[in-house]
Amino acid sequence: QKEVEQDPGPLSVPEGAIVSLNCTYSNSAFQYFMWYRQYSRKGPELLMYTYSSGNKEDGRFTAQVDKSSKYISLFIRDSQPSDSATYLCAMSANAGGTSYGKLTFGQGTILTVHP
Amino acid sequence: DTEVTQTPKHLVMGMTNKKSLKCEQHMGHRAMYWYKQKAKKPPELMFVYSYEKLSINESVPSRFSPECPNSSLLNLHLHALQPEDSALYLCASSQENLLGQGERGYTFGSGTRLTVV
């Protein structure tokens, strides 16, 4: 079993739709949770960073963390064609752990928003 | 300056060549990373440097040799690579202590697309 599971999709939605992306994880040492967006042939770009359970909002993006269920989500409201990219969830362990500093990624979900 | 700069953007090398990838950041980050990414796969960690010291080596073959000359620079020296080493090589940096640092996380460069022929 992988430490982080993410449905690779692909996911295709019409412009304006609400997009929901999800990851589950098995390692309870993960304390920091990130969502990255990666356009083709580019490096990952940090969208959201959280370290506590609950919701965090930034513009059209909302990140949700449920540590009790080991489940994180990213919601994109009013999706645009420019949101078409691969979305990667990523997690890092707490300080003092042997894996501190290491980022563990999900497989990535390919999203296409069509006009 | 909130960028991680990687050079070159593209590199083609033969299996007997020696080349180096370079990475630079001026955000005061004290942790720097090398990741390898194959097509349609997530990035895979290769090395972690913390305060210019190698702290994690994910069992990477010795034909990849990292170097951290100072807190802003990270190199990856390549020698006798194989065609299967062709990939996007990503450099990243972060605050060493992620706890309670607000909008933190890794900042990635755009990568070097390496082709081994």
Side-chain angles (χ1 to χ4, degrees):
Chain A
Q1 183 190 4
K2 291 179 184 163
E3 282 189 294
V4 180
E5 299 275 1
Q6 181 179 6
D7 185 343
L11 186 60
S12 181
V13 302
E15 183 175 354
I18 296 174
V19 176
S20 172
L21 304 167
N22 311 295
C23 289
T24 59
Y25 63 96
S26 57
N27 187 348
S28 57
F30 288 143
Q31 297 293 323
Y32 308 101
F33 306 93
M34 287 147 266
W35 284 96
Y36 284 87
R37 176 175 62 195
Q38 187 172 24
Y39 292 112
S40 180
R41 307 179 82 82
K42 297 287 188 184
E45 170 194 1
L46 180 66
L47 285 176
M48 300 288 281
Y49 167 78
T50 59
Y51 56 90
S52 59
S53 284
N55 292 356
K56 181 177 181 180
E57 192 172 315
D58 184 1
R60 296 186 295 113
F61 299 93
T62 299
Q64 199 171 72
V65 173
D66 182 348
K67 288 186 180 179
S68 62
S69 301
K70 296 190 176 66
Y71 185 88
I72 69 170
S73 299
L74 178 71
F75 298 95
I76 307 174
R77 290 183 298 281
D78 188 24
S79 56
Q80 303 294 311
S82 58
D83 294 327
S84 299
T86 297
Y87 289 80
L88 295 151
C89 65
M91 307 179 190
S92 184
N94 54 321
T98 56
S99 296
Y100 180 63
K102 175 179 178 179
L103 210 58
T104 302
F105 285 89
Q107 285 296 106
T109 299
I110 300 171
L111 171 68
T112 301
V113 181
H114 50 86
Chain B
D1 188 351
T2 57
E3 285 190 345
V4 174
T5 303
Q6 289 188 245
T7 55
K9 293 196 184 309
H10 302 274
L11 179 62
V12 179
M13 61 185 290
M15 289 188 283
T16 57
N17 290 161
K18 285 184 182 180
K19 296 286 183 183
S20 296
L21 309 184
K22 297 187 183 303
C23 175
E24 190 168 1
Q25 59 89 11
H26 296 288
M27 294 178 280
H29 289 173
R30 301 312 299 268
M32 296 185 76
Y33 312 83
W34 281 114
Y35 279 81
K36 173 183 176 180
Q37 188 176 26
K38 302 282 271 185
K40 299 191 187 303
K41 296 290 186 183
E44 295 177 3
L45 181 68
M46 300 174 73
F47 303 104
V48 178
Y49 272 84
S50 178
Y51 290 89
E52 295 128 65
K53 286 187 169 44
L54 184 65
S55 61
I56 296 178
N57 176 341
E58 291 285 281
S59 302
V60 179
S62 60
R63 57 186 184 268
F64 296 91
S65 175
E67 179 196 19
C68 190
N70 60 56
S71 59
S72 300
L73 294 174
L74 187 66
N75 299 321
L76 185 63
H77 302 298
L78 314 173
H79 174 54
L81 294 193
Q82 303 297 310
E84 59 264 29
D85 296 321
S86 299
L88 181 67
Y89 287 84
L90 293 162
C91 174
S93 69
S94 72
Q95 291 284 359
E96 207 273 334
N97 178 7
L98 293 172
L99 182 63
Q101 293 296 312
E103 293 298 324
R104 297 288 189 257
Y106 284 32
T107 301
F108 280 89
S110 293
T112 294
R113 188 158 298 279
L114 175 67
T115 303
V116 182
V117 297

